[in-house]
Amino acid sequence: PVHLGQQFTCPGLTFFLDFARQKNAVTMFQLMLNTARSVAQSLDGELRDEQRRVWSLTAEQSIRRRIQQYFMQQSKPGNVIDVASLEQT
């Protein structure tokens, strides 16, 4: 993830999803992933994860788990969530 003041370069297309602002983040993630797969196929490209490694089922499961953890924590009364702490889960 890019933090304020950092530069980020990546040849190709980059898809981002601010899941914290989505009512159904898991569904939105799946729609984004489907779109990214379609674009990659159309452009004869490949999907990469946030570490720029080739996309894998493990990467997909990790992102789904982080989304679910975020919303589980969010639903606890009085809980403040540090989204950055979920990035390494």
Side-chain angles (χ1 to χ4, degrees):
V2 178
H3 300 285
L4 241 41
Q6 290 182 326
Q7 290 186 343
F8 176 77
T9 59
C10 180
L13 299 174
T14 305
F15 291 80
F16 291 93
L17 174 66
D18 184 358
F19 64 83
R21 295 178 189 230
Q22 304 301 317
K23 290 184 180 180
N24 192 337
V26 174
T27 299
M28 295 306 293
F29 171 69
Q30 187 61 54
L31 290 171
M32 182 187 72
L33 184 56
N34 293 347
T35 300
R37 284 181 172 140
S38 178
V39 168
Q41 183 178 14
S42 295
L43 298 176
D44 195 27
E46 61 186 10
L47 294 181
R48 298 279 178 152
D49 66 14
E50 68 268 20
Q51 301 299 319
R52 299 183 187 152
R53 294 179 296 227
V54 174
W55 188 258
S56 67
L57 181 58
T58 302
E60 184 174 333
Q61 291 170 337
S62 174
I63 292 172
R64 286 182 193 284
R65 187 172 48 253
R66 291 185 340 222
I67 292 169
Q68 291 167 344
Q69 287 174 343
Y70 174 83
F71 285 102
M72 284 175 43
Q73 289 294 321
Q74 186 71 19
S75 67
K76 294 180 182 177
N79 222 352
V80 177
I81 300 168
D82 176 13
V83 176
S85 69
L86 298 176
E87 293 175 359
Q88 302 302 320
T89 325

